[in-house]
Amino acid sequence: MGFFDGYDVAVSGMTAQRTRINITSANIANAKTTHSEDGGPYKKQNVVFEEVLLQEGKKVNSNNLENLSKEKNDLALRGVGVKSIVEDDAKPVMRFEPSHPDANEDGYVAYPDINPVVEMVDLIEAMRSYEANVSTFKTHKNIDTKTLDILKA
Protein backbone atom coordinates (compact mmCIF):
# COMPACT_ATOMS: atom_id res chain seq x y z
CA MET A 1 0.00 0.00 0.00
CA GLY A 2 1.35 3.38 -0.99
CA PHE A 3 1.60 6.50 1.12
CA PHE A 4 -1.23 8.28 -0.75
CA ASP A 5 -3.59 5.31 -1.28
CA GLY A 6 -5.90 6.26 1.59
CA TYR A 7 -6.23 9.73 0.13
CA ASP A 8 -7.09 8.31 -3.29
CA VAL A 9 -9.92 6.19 -1.89
CA ALA A 10 -11.38 9.13 0.06
CA VAL A 11 -11.12 11.43 -2.96
CA SER A 12 -12.89 8.88 -5.19
CA GLY A 13 -15.76 8.81 -2.69
CA MET A 14 -15.92 12.60 -2.48
CA THR A 15 -15.96 12.91 -6.28
CA ALA A 16 -18.77 10.36 -6.64
CA GLN A 17 -20.86 11.98 -3.91
CA ARG A 18 -20.32 15.44 -5.38
CA THR A 19 -21.81 14.18 -8.65
CA ARG A 20 -24.74 12.71 -6.72
CA ILE A 21 -25.28 16.03 -4.90
CA ASN A 22 -25.28 17.92 -8.21
CA ILE A 23 -27.77 15.55 -9.86
CA THR A 24 -30.08 15.52 -6.83
CA SER A 25 -29.96 19.33 -6.68
CA ALA A 26 -30.93 19.48 -10.36
CA ASN A 27 -33.87 17.16 -9.64
CA ILE A 28 -35.07 19.44 -6.83
CA ALA A 29 -34.63 22.57 -8.95
CA ASN A 30 -36.64 21.05 -11.81
CA ALA A 31 -39.42 19.43 -9.76
CA LYS A 32 -41.96 21.82 -11.36
CA THR A 33 -40.43 22.05 -14.85
CA THR A 34 -43.17 21.23 -17.34
CA HIS A 35 -41.30 21.98 -20.55
CA SER A 36 -37.76 20.75 -21.27
CA GLU A 37 -35.64 20.67 -24.43
CA ASP A 38 -37.25 17.31 -25.29
CA GLY A 39 -40.66 18.96 -25.26
CA GLY A 40 -42.09 17.14 -22.24
CA PRO A 41 -41.61 17.57 -18.52
CA TYR A 42 -38.17 17.26 -16.91
CA LYS A 43 -37.11 13.66 -16.29
CA LYS A 44 -35.62 12.80 -12.92
CA GLN A 45 -32.01 11.60 -13.06
CA ASN A 46 -30.25 9.05 -10.86
CA VAL A 47 -26.56 8.33 -10.40
CA VAL A 48 -25.30 4.75 -10.75
CA PHE A 49 -22.06 4.00 -8.91
CA GLU A 50 -19.50 1.33 -9.64
CA GLU A 51 -16.47 -0.06 -7.92
CA VAL A 52 -13.24 1.07 -9.56
CA LEU A 53 -9.74 -0.23 -9.17
CA LEU A 54 -7.28 2.50 -8.34
CA GLN A 55 -4.08 1.16 -9.85
CA GLU A 56 -0.90 3.16 -10.32
CA GLY A 57 -2.70 6.49 -10.78
CA LYS A 58 -5.28 5.28 -13.27
CA LYS A 59 -8.83 4.09 -12.77
CA VAL A 60 -10.00 0.78 -14.18
CA ASN A 61 -13.73 0.10 -14.20
CA SER A 62 -15.29 -3.04 -12.75
CA ASN A 63 -15.61 -4.65 -16.21
CA ASN A 64 -11.82 -4.89 -16.40
CA LEU A 65 -11.38 -6.33 -12.90
CA GLU A 66 -11.78 -9.93 -14.05
CA ASN A 67 -8.80 -9.48 -16.37
CA LEU A 68 -6.51 -9.03 -13.39
CA SER A 69 -4.94 -12.03 -11.71
CA LYS A 70 -6.65 -13.39 -8.60
CA GLU A 71 -3.67 -12.43 -6.42
CA LYS A 72 -3.64 -8.81 -7.65
CA ASN A 73 -7.43 -8.61 -7.41
CA ASP A 74 -7.41 -9.52 -3.69
CA LEU A 75 -4.78 -6.89 -2.89
CA ALA A 76 -6.08 -4.21 -5.22
CA LEU A 77 -7.04 -0.78 -3.94
CA ARG A 78 -10.66 -0.04 -4.67
CA GLY A 79 -12.64 3.17 -4.78
CA VAL A 80 -15.96 4.32 -6.16
CA GLY A 81 -16.80 6.00 -9.43
CA VAL A 82 -19.83 7.13 -11.38
CA LYS A 83 -20.82 4.47 -13.89
CA SER A 84 -23.64 6.44 -15.46
CA ILE A 85 -26.39 8.97 -14.95
CA VAL A 86 -29.73 7.50 -15.96
CA GLU A 87 -33.11 9.12 -16.52
CA ASP A 88 -36.02 7.79 -14.51
CA ASP A 89 -38.73 6.19 -16.67
CA ALA A 90 -41.61 7.20 -14.37
CA LYS A 91 -44.68 8.62 -16.07
CA PRO A 92 -45.40 12.30 -15.53
CA VAL A 93 -48.00 13.42 -13.01
CA MET A 94 -51.00 14.98 -14.74
CA ARG A 95 -52.67 17.98 -13.04
CA PHE A 96 -55.72 19.86 -14.20
CA GLU A 97 -54.60 23.45 -14.86
CA PRO A 98 -56.36 24.71 -18.01
CA SER A 99 -54.82 28.20 -17.75
CA HIS A 100 -51.23 26.86 -17.76
CA PRO A 101 -49.33 27.54 -21.03
CA ASP A 102 -48.23 23.86 -21.25
CA ALA A 103 -51.73 22.45 -20.73
CA ASN A 104 -52.92 19.90 -23.29
CA GLU A 105 -56.28 20.16 -25.08
CA ASP A 106 -58.03 18.62 -22.03
CA GLY A 107 -56.49 21.18 -19.66
CA TYR A 108 -53.98 18.83 -18.02
CA VAL A 109 -50.33 19.70 -17.45
CA ALA A 110 -47.61 17.02 -17.25
CA TYR A 111 -45.33 17.54 -14.25
CA PRO A 112 -42.24 15.45 -13.47
CA ASP A 113 -42.77 12.63 -10.97
CA ILE A 114 -40.33 14.09 -8.45
CA ASN A 115 -41.03 14.11 -4.73
CA PRO A 116 -39.00 16.99 -3.22
CA VAL A 117 -39.03 15.34 0.22
CA VAL A 118 -37.46 12.15 -1.14
CA GLU A 119 -34.93 14.21 -3.09
CA MET A 120 -34.01 16.18 0.05
CA VAL A 121 -33.42 12.93 1.94
CA ASP A 122 -31.21 11.72 -0.92
CA LEU A 123 -29.37 15.05 -0.83
CA ILE A 124 -28.78 14.81 2.92
CA GLU A 125 -27.55 11.23 2.55
CA ALA A 126 -25.12 12.24 -0.19
CA MET A 127 -23.88 15.16 1.91
CA ARG A 128 -23.31 12.87 4.91
CA SER A 129 -21.41 10.41 2.71
CA TYR A 130 -19.30 13.27 1.37
CA GLU A 131 -18.59 14.45 4.93
CA ALA A 132 -17.59 10.90 5.94
CA ASN A 133 -15.04 10.84 3.11
CA VAL A 134 -13.72 14.26 4.19
CA SER A 135 -13.36 12.91 7.73
CA THR A 136 -11.48 9.88 6.41
CA PHE A 137 -9.17 12.14 4.42
CA LYS A 138 -8.47 14.32 7.50
CA THR A 139 -7.86 11.27 9.71
CA HIS A 140 -5.39 9.87 7.20
CA LYS A 141 -3.66 13.25 7.07
CA ASN A 142 -3.42 13.38 10.88
CA ILE A 143 -1.95 9.87 11.00
CA ASP A 144 0.63 10.80 8.36
CA THR A 145 1.48 14.02 10.21
CA LYS A 146 2.01 12.14 13.49
CA THR A 147 4.12 9.54 11.69
CA LEU A 148 6.35 12.23 10.20
CA ASP A 149 6.63 13.91 13.63
CA ILE A 150 7.77 10.61 15.15
CA LEU A 151 10.30 10.06 12.37
CA LYS A 152 11.74 13.58 12.84
CA ALA A 153 12.29 13.05 16.56
Side-chain angles (χ1 to χ4, degrees), residues 1-7 9 75 77 140:
M1 185 165 167
F3 187 76
F4 296 107
D5 289 347
Y7 298 114
V9 173
L75 301 174
L77 181 65
H140 196 279

Coordinates of all heavy atoms in Angstrom, one line a residue, residues 1-7 9 75 77 140:
M1 N 0.8 -1.2 0.0 CA 0.0 0.0 0.0 C 0.9 1.2 0.0 O 1.8 1.3 0.8 CB -0.9 0.0 1.2 CG -1.9 1.1 1.2 SD -3.2 0.7 2.4 CE -4.0 2.3 2.5
G2 N 0.6 2.2 -0.9 CA 1.4 3.4 -1.0 C 1.0 4.4 0.0 O -0.1 4.3 0.7
F3 N 1.8 5.4 0.1 CA 1.6 6.5 1.1 C 0.3 7.3 0.9 O -0.4 7.7 1.8 CB 2.8 7.4 1.1 CG 2.8 8.5 2.1 CD1 3.1 8.2 3.4 CD2 2.5 9.8 1.8 CE1 3.2 9.1 4.4 CE2 2.5 10.8 2.8 CZ 2.8 10.4 4.1
F4 N -0.1 7.5 -0.4 CA -1.2 8.3 -0.7 C -2.5 7.5 -1.1 O -3.5 8.0 -1.5 CB -0.9 9.2 -1.9 CG 0.2 10.2 -1.6 CD1 1.4 10.0 -2.2 CD2 -0.1 11.3 -0.8 CE1 2.4 10.9 -1.9 CE2 0.9 12.2 -0.5 CZ 2.2 12.0 -1.1
D5 N -2.4 6.1 -0.9 CA -3.6 5.3 -1.3 C -4.9 5.6 -0.5 O -6.0 5.7 -1.1 CB -3.2 3.8 -1.1 CG -2.2 3.3 -2.2 OD1 -2.0 4.1 -3.1 OD2 -1.7 2.3 -2.0
G6 N -4.7 5.9 0.8 CA -5.9 6.3 1.6 C -6.6 7.5 1.1 O -7.8 7.7 1.1
Y7 N -5.7 8.5 0.7 CA -6.2 9.7 0.1 C -7.0 9.5 -1.2 O -8.1 10.1 -1.4 CB -5.1 10.7 -0.1 CG -4.3 11.2 1.1 CD1 -3.0 10.8 1.2 CD2 -4.9 11.9 2.1 CE1 -2.3 11.2 2.3 CE2 -4.2 12.4 3.2 CZ -2.9 12.0 3.3 OH -2.2 12.4 4.4
V9 N -8.6 6.8 -2.1 CA -9.9 6.2 -1.9 C -10.9 7.2 -1.4 O -12.1 7.3 -1.9 CB -9.8 5.0 -0.9 CG1 -11.2 4.5 -0.5 CG2 -8.9 3.9 -1.5
L75 N -5.6 -7.9 -3.5 CA -4.8 -6.9 -2.9 C -5.0 -5.5 -3.5 O -4.4 -4.6 -3.1 CB -3.3 -7.2 -3.0 CG -2.9 -8.6 -2.3 CD1 -1.4 -8.9 -2.6 CD2 -3.2 -8.5 -0.8
L77 N -6.4 -1.9 -4.6 CA -7.0 -0.8 -3.9 C -8.3 -0.4 -4.7 O -8.2 -0.1 -5.9 CB -6.0 0.4 -3.9 CG -6.5 1.6 -3.2 CD1 -6.7 1.4 -1.7 CD2 -5.5 2.7 -3.4
H140 N -6.6 10.4 7.9 CA -5.4 9.9 7.2 C -4.3 10.9 7.2 O -3.1 10.6 7.5 CB -5.7 9.5 5.8 CG -4.7 8.6 5.1 ND1 -3.5 9.1 4.6 CD2 -4.6 7.3 5.0 CE1 -2.8 8.1 4.1 NE2 -3.4 7.0 4.3

